[in-house]
Amino acid sequence: MTDIGHPESFHGLPVLTLPGPARPGADPLPAADAVAWRLESAWEGDLTFAALWEHFLDTVDTTQVRALLIGPWWQEDYSPFAPVVGLLCAHADRFPALRALFLADVVSEECEVSWLEMPDITPVVEAFGQLEELTVRGCGEPIAGTETLALRPVRHQALRSLRFESGGLPAGVVRAIGGSELPALERLELWLGVPEYGGDATVDDLAPLLSGGAFPKLRHLGLQNSEIQDEIATAVAAAPVVAQLQSLSLAMGTLSDIGAEALLAGQPLTHLTLLDLHHHYISDPLVDRLRRLVGPDCVNSEPDEVEYGDPDEDGERYVAVSE
């Protein structure tokens, strides 16, 4: 996993990790709606996630909770995420004010992104009808006997931001998003990943997202972290959705001069306030041309914060996040 840290804020609220059962002299908890609550089952502690969840329900006025992050849910031995989905859905009525949810706020020191076994998250989306922001990290390796992320097409009136962070996002999830009715959606970000970790989506799978008809309020689109980044850029260059966007990300993948040339020859991009291409394999002359086209302050293309900013000795290119 690339260096992804725990967010200090989420949905405009400071993140607070819920402490364990109160001890003498412990500071009082803040108001339930004043922070984004993060739940983490300590590896060496004596609270299972189920026990921590009950502690949360008993300690915090969950009717006022606006944002929730699920950190590591296992103790010493890793376990899949499905039981957490069960707890969330079983108690959805306890969270009428919940507007933001982060499933698997886990960093590489805790677990690699490809090891995070995520189940079908459709029940979560359906259970929280007022949710405005959903971030999902992980997927699970496509190995027999393990769970991998799944989603069915859904209809959700409130969702404004949807983000999947994965080293291998299944094509079925991409197609389900394209087949969903999300009339309020403004931001969509997909880390598509690589086939070795289940990232088998093709440009054809992205067609509904690129059509411009799926999500009329969409203003930011991220199709990134892909080995087919040049193919995606070529499709984006003629995609109707671009005209309605304010920002576009084709970052974190294997974008080369082929994709850059397609963007330069394609439809106008001058209306964009940000074209994010960081972690790329584009030659400097073409980066300069893109900056002249869109504006020097609008193209983020610096690869220097990414481990694989250049091809390896064999000329192979890498995405930013795979394992």
Side-chain angles (χ1 to χ4, degrees):
M1 185 188 298
T2 194
D3 186 16
I4 304 171
H6 296 299
E8 295 182 359
S9 64
F10 182 55
H11 203 63
L13 298 168
V15 174
L16 175 69
T17 298
L18 178 72
R23 295 178 175 85
D27 292 334
L29 294 176
D33 60 355
V35 298
W37 296 92
R38 183 174 186 271
L39 305 186
E40 174 181 338
S41 186
W43 295 340
E44 298 179 356
D46 56 1
L47 277 184
T48 64
F49 188 85
L52 177 65
W53 181 256
E54 289 299 324
H55 169 58
F56 180 49
L57 297 181
D58 292 342
T59 306
V60 176
D61 180 4
T62 58
T63 65
Q64 301 299 314
V65 169
R66 297 167 55 199
L68 177 62
L69 304 90
I70 306 298
W73 56 91
W74 63 96
Q75 291 179 288
E76 293 184 2
D77 297 325
Y78 174 81
S79 61
F81 195 76
V84 180
V85 167
L87 288 172
L88 286 167
C89 294
H91 298 97
D93 61 337
R94 300 280 297 270
F95 295 87
L98 191 68
R99 297 295 181 268
L101 182 60
F102 192 145
L103 302 182
D105 174 22
V106 177
V107 299
S108 58
E109 290 80 6
E110 298 159 337
C111 185
E112 296 293 352
V113 68
S114 63
W115 302 349
L116 299 172
E117 293 183 37
M118 307 301 291
D120 186 343
I121 64 162
T122 310
V124 175
V125 180
E126 294 175 337
F128 294 93
Q130 300 304 312
L131 203 65
E132 297 176 356
E133 181 175 356
L134 175 63
T135 298
V136 180
R137 180 174 290 165
C139 178
E141 295 188 64
I143 300 173
T146 63
E147 285 191 287
T148 55
L149 179 68
L151 179 71
R152 300 187 303 275
V154 295
R155 188 173 191 272
H156 197 290
Q157 293 290 334
L159 198 62
R160 297 172 55 189
S161 176
L162 181 60
R163 177 183 174 101
F164 285 90
E165 300 180 355
S166 174
L169 193 63
V173 173
V174 175
R175 291 193 293 267
I177 295 168
S180 294
E181 293 183 47
L182 306 173
L185 194 67
E186 299 174 1
R187 296 184 61 85
L188 175 63
E189 185 172 319
L190 307 180
W191 296 13
L192 298 166
V194 299
E196 290 80 0
Y197 292 101
D200 56 352
T202 67
V203 170
D204 287 342
D205 295 320
L206 299 172
L209 309 179
L210 298 175
S211 70
F215 310 124
K217 292 190 176 181
L218 195 68
R219 295 298 176 263
H220 171 79
L221 177 62
L223 301 174
Q224 52 203 78
N225 194 52
S226 176
E227 284 189 338
I228 60 168
Q229 206 70 61
D230 284 334
E231 295 178 44
I232 293 172
T234 300
V236 164
V241 72
V242 173
Q244 73 186 62
L245 300 179
Q246 296 174 352
S247 55
L248 171 67
S249 177
L250 302 175
M252 301 173 61
T254 60
L255 190 65
S256 73
D257 284 3
I258 295 173
E261 290 279 14
L263 292 173
L264 288 163
Q267 63 187 300
L269 302 175
T270 53
H271 64 289
L272 296 177
T273 59
L274 175 65
L275 176 61
D276 188 355
L277 305 177
H278 81 270
H279 183 97
H280 63 80
Y281 298 87
I282 307 172
S283 62
D284 289 342
L286 285 184
V287 171
D288 291 340
R289 286 178 59 191
L290 285 166
R291 285 182 170 150
R292 288 197 298 270
L293 174 68
V294 184
D297 298 327
C298 299
V299 177
N300 175 3
S301 64
E302 300 300 331
D304 54 357
E305 294 182 0
V306 182
E307 181 179 357
Y308 300 115
D310 297 300
D312 67 8
E313 294 179 357
D314 298 323
E316 187 173 356
R317 293 177 284 157
Y318 295 86
V319 301
V321 176
S322 55
E323 183 182 9

